Amino acid sequence: MAINDAATLVVGSGNYLTAPTGTPMPADLLTPLSPWQNVGHTSLEDVFGITSEGGEATTIGSLQNKSLRTKYSARTETMTFTLQQWDTAALRLYFGANAPILPDGSVGVPTNPEPTQGAFLAVFVDGDNHFAFYAPRAEIYRADDMAISDTESLAGLPLGVKPMALGGNEWTYAITPLGGTLATGASAGTPGSFTPDGAVAPANLAALAGVIATPTSAWTTGQHVVLGDGSKAKWDGSAWAATT
């Protein structure tokens, strides 16, 4: 992996948003448009976290090799943050989407709470950089017990977001990488270069899939591009291939 100073992150600000299940990630993460809705004020100290369950490793062996393969159980993950807004919408995220609104306007705590279901987006800003977690389908509900422990800090509602697969997706949530624009083209040279200008080199040979070579004819001896993992690749006229 190549060193990329632009890929480091120090969160300066951020927002958490929800939308109906299946809503695509907004084209502009800094100004998400409807139906994306901000959940409100969140903790400055407990910014964001991911906890997981499962993923236990089981070693599978044969008579000839006791450690032939490793199999991992399914892993479920939960994104966590603390909501510091106590309006009706926030209370229903914490106590349940089916929390009733009583005649006096108060929010009832349901005996059989149901999580809020929808798409989820967390956007973090670091100067000119921004970084996001996106789940097209997720369940949102309380992550921990609530306690108001002092009179000097904002009280919070700890929330957990469980990303879930949507339709035929083989993924539950996506993370936007930092460090620049992904390469869409590669020009021959010794070494060659990626386009557009400033594009990040693909991480490895597999990541070159979809990158258009210039020229499209086979590159000559010695012409190559350097990938993110430090390896080299060339265009053989029909496909990308590793080279030395």
Side-chain angles (χ1 to χ4, degrees):
M1 181 182 298
I3 293 176
N4 186 350
D5 294 346
T8 58
L9 176 69
V10 177
V11 173
S13 62
N15 285 293
Y16 305 89
L17 305 101
T18 59
T21 298
T23 301
M25 185 187 297
D28 185 351
L29 291 171
L30 298 181
T31 55
L33 301 177
S34 180
W36 288 103
Q37 297 291 327
N38 200 311
V39 302
H41 290 287
T42 60
S43 174
L44 187 61
E45 296 180 355
D46 300 321
V47 177
F48 188 78
I50 296 179
T51 61
S52 63
E53 297 179 357
E56 293 84 4
T58 301
T59 301
I60 303 173
S62 68
L63 186 61
Q64 290 72 34
N65 185 342
K66 301 299 189 296
S67 303
L68 183 61
R69 295 179 57 184
T70 303
K71 181 179 180 181
Y72 294 89
S73 64
R75 180 184 295 275
T76 58
E77 296 182 310
T78 303
M79 304 175 186
T80 58
F81 65 97
T82 300
L83 185 58
Q84 292 181 324
Q85 198 160 295
W86 290 66
D87 54 16
T88 298
L91 292 173
R92 296 184 84 180
L93 284 177
Y94 183 79
F95 289 107
N98 59 334
I101 308 302
L102 304 182
D104 63 359
S106 59
V107 176
V109 178
T111 55
N112 295 299
E114 298 175 359
T116 297
Q117 297 194 21
F120 175 77
L121 179 69
V123 181
F124 303 110
V125 180
D126 174 13
D128 293 332
N129 275 338
H130 54 276
F131 180 82
F133 291 85
Y134 162 71
R137 177 180 174 229
E139 291 187 347
I140 307 173
Y141 186 56
R142 69 169 74 183
D144 203 351
D145 294 338
M146 181 271 294
I148 301 176
S149 56
D150 60 65
T151 60
E152 298 178 351
S153 56
L154 293 172
L157 299 167
L159 291 180
V161 180
K162 292 185 180 295
M164 306 174 73
L166 175 66
N169 288 352
E170 295 182 354
W171 53 278
T172 55
Y173 65 97
I175 308 168
T176 60
L178 287 173
T181 305
L182 295 178
T184 57
S187 300
T190 53
S193 59
F194 291 102
T195 56
D197 289 341
V200 176
N204 49 40
L205 184 64
L208 271 172
V211 174
I212 299 173
T214 303
T216 56
S217 56
W219 290 2
T220 60
T221 301
Q223 291 184 327
H224 66 277
V225 287
V226 179
L227 304 177
D229 61 3
S231 65
K232 299 177 182 180
K234 66 177 182 179
W235 180 253
D236 68 7
S238 59
W240 289 104
T243 188
T244 57

